[in-house]
Amino acid sequence: MSETMKRERIPELNLVRAMAIIGVLCVHSTSYATLDMTGSGYYWLYNFINIFMKYGTPTFIFMSSFVLFYNYYSRPLDKKLVSNFYKKRFVYILLPYFLFSLFYFLILHFTHYQGRPFGESAISFITKLFTGKAYTHLYFVFINMQFYLLFPLVLWLLKKYPAVVKWSVPIGLLIQWAFIVSNKYGFQVPNKGSWAFSYFSYFMLGAFIGVYFPKIKQWFVISRENATKGRVASWILLWAVWIAAGLGHVYIYYLLRMKIATYNTLWYEFFWNVHTFACALVLIQVAYLLYRKGPALIAKPLNRLGALSFGIYLIHPFFLLLYREFPPQTGVSWLVHLWYAGGFAVALFASWIVVGLTARFVPFAWVIFGNLPKPKPRVIPQSNSGQLDVR
């Protein structure tokens, strides 16, 4: 394959996206429970789901970076590439972001701020639009926009100095932790979690994996034929770090929420970073296992879910907002638990149905939900000629 040719598709990545959006939905659907269910004997379970599944946003950022560097690193960096890159980001990311920012802002306006003057509302919307705060989940898109601004510069640096690529991960960790520590002990910026520097290690991990993926792909494929002593040891180490950091992350938040103990905020940052950093790599391995060995009953729906994940991410809080208008009017514990589980189901399936139907039947659906998969043409055999009729 020529160096400048488009690299082969990685269908397994849709499964990673599917697992990431499931993580996001788990966190959002249990957020109320972590506040309201502290007296329940099952609070540990709500806390576990809410914290252990916090890999969603970091994984999406890692995946975005991975795909960008995988697709663009081998191409010549010129004006045409940069202009096409920003054109696609505008059409498939910024336009849906603007529409959903306006959508959620209007919902909150009519439910909470009807008496606010138009001028004040307009200023508020513009401020929220340019800070990713029109609704709670839109900060993720705002962070990605910051990375899109940085991407051509980082791509140029890594292409000009290829030896730096191998240091991408340490550089990313250094920048992220310099920002975290300086924000705690030096200058403080408002809304720290809405700044790209808070996720820089995932961006640079994506750069490293994206550039080297053709060479290291087999490391992600856990199989007997790929098993060497070194690989098996590294697989075990990765999974052990992921589980240990994840459980540590869950435990310190449980102690905090139950008012048993509190720790320096850097410990919460540390466990979150190690947990989600390792999880991003684990999810790729799991995706390869599912794609190659998993039952089609699981892999096929997950593939579709992953393809629709950006649209589902944008719209699912709307269904959660509607659902939470009808809390259970009972003290029966199992009904309350069922109601919280129902929130996850509604957020997942209602969003999935709406985005899926939009992708299939609505013209210019990309304006609303970004780059959606194109519907496959129906193939109907013609009985007369024996040829296939594609409709």
Side-chain angles (χ1 to χ4, degrees), residues 81-94:
L81 182 141
V82 174
S83 64
N84 285 339
F85 168 78
Y86 281 119
K87 180 180 177 182
K88 288 181 179 179
R89 292 331 109 178
F90 175 80
V91 170
Y92 296 128
I93 304 294
L94 296 188

Side-chain angles (χ1 to χ4, degrees), residues 101-162:
S101 294
L102 181 60
F103 173 66
Y104 286 112
F105 183 84
L106 290 175
I107 289 176
L108 293 180
H109 176 79
F110 286 112
T111 55
H112 294 83
Y113 305 103
Q114 283 194 34
R116 187 167 56 184
F118 175 80
E120 186 179 333
S121 295
I123 293 172
S124 176
F125 172 69
I126 293 171
T127 302
K128 286 177 166 49
L129 181 69
F130 284 96
T131 55
K133 295 175 67 178
Y135 208 69
T136 54
H137 69 308
L138 292 174
Y139 75 95
F140 159 70
V141 187
F142 180 66
I143 290 168
N144 257 346
M145 287 191 289
Q146 296 172 55
F147 282 128
Y148 295 148
L149 291 174
L150 290 172
F151 173 69
L153 174 61
V154 177
L155 179 63
W156 176 79
L157 287 171
L158 295 185
K159 287 174 71 68
K160 186 172 179 64
Y161 306 102

Side-chain angles (χ1 to χ4, degrees), residues 45 50 67 73 137 162 279 316 347 364 366:
L45 180 59
N50 185 258
V67 171
Y73 186 78
H137 69 308
C279 189
H316 80 270
F364 306 106
W366 49 266

Side-chain angles (χ1 to χ4, degrees), residues 117-383:
F118 175 80
E120 186 179 333
S121 295
I123 293 172
S124 176
F125 172 69
I126 293 171
T127 302
K128 286 177 166 49
L129 181 69
F130 284 96
T131 55
K133 295 175 67 178
Y135 208 69
T136 54
H137 69 308
L138 292 174
Y139 75 95
F140 159 70
V141 187
F142 180 66
I143 290 168
N144 257 346
M145 287 191 289
Q146 296 172 55
F147 282 128
Y148 295 148
L149 291 174
L150 290 172
F151 173 69
L153 174 61
V154 177
L155 179 63
W156 176 79
L157 287 171
L158 295 185
K159 287 174 71 68
K160 186 172 179 64
Y161 306 102
V164 177
V165 177
K166 66 183 68 174
W167 297 99
S168 298
V169 174
I171 290 171
L173 287 166
L174 179 63
I175 292 174
Q176 179 174 311
W177 277 92
F179 177 72
I180 291 170
V181 173
S182 63
N183 190 71
K184 181 175 177 63
Y185 295 111
F187 69 91
Q188 292 189 342
V189 297
N191 307 309
K192 177 180 70 69
S194 294
W195 287 86
F197 295 119
S198 294
Y199 295 86
F200 218 83
S201 64
Y202 307 95
F203 179 69
M204 296 307 289
L205 175 65
F208 177 84
I209 301 294
V211 172
Y212 285 124
F213 191 74
K215 297 179 181 179
I216 64 176
K217 172 183 174 180
Q218 295 307 314
W219 182 83
F220 290 102
V221 183
I222 299 178
S223 62
R224 187 180 298 275
E225 51 271 23
N226 272 343
T228 64
K229 288 183 179 180
R231 282 180 181 168
V232 171
S234 65
W235 294 339
I236 293 173
L237 178 62
L238 172 65
W239 283 62
V241 168
W242 166 56
I243 294 171
L247 293 179
H249 192 197
V250 168
Y251 183 63
I252 62 170
Y253 263 96
Y254 179 81
L255 296 179
L256 173 68
R257 287 169 167 173
M258 296 301 289
K259 297 181 171 54
I260 297 173
T262 58
Y263 300 95
N264 188 304
T265 57
L266 294 182
W267 282 110
Y268 299 93
E269 297 275 4
F270 171 78
F271 277 106
W272 167 78
N273 193 196
V274 177
H275 167 208
T276 54
F277 198 85
C279 189
L281 300 177
V282 167
L283 290 181
I284 297 181
Q285 294 184 329
V286 173
Y288 270 97
L289 285 172
L290 286 174
Y291 197 85
R292 294 177 174 225
K293 306 290 186 180
L297 190 63
I298 296 176
K300 192 173 180 180
L302 284 180
N303 182 65
R304 182 64 177 173
L305 177 63
L308 302 173
S309 58
F310 182 61
I312 292 172
Y313 185 91
L314 291 174
I315 200 171
H316 80 270
F318 171 67
F319 293 109
L320 271 178
L321 183 66
L322 293 179
Y323 182 80
R324 286 168 174 165
E325 289 296 309
F326 305 96
Q329 304 298 321
T330 177
V332 180
S333 61
W334 69 269
L335 285 175
V336 176
H337 297 314
L338 188 62
W339 183 77
Y340 280 114
F344 171 81
V346 167
L348 174 61
F349 292 110
S351 303
W352 194 339
I353 291 169
V354 168
V355 179
L357 291 177
T358 303
R360 187 169 183 82
F361 298 111
V362 177
F364 306 106
W366 49 266
V367 174
I368 308 171
F369 293 121
N371 192 13
L372 294 169
K374 294 178 176 61
K376 295 180 181 179
R378 289 188 301 155
V379 180
I380 304 174
Q382 287 185 343
S383 56

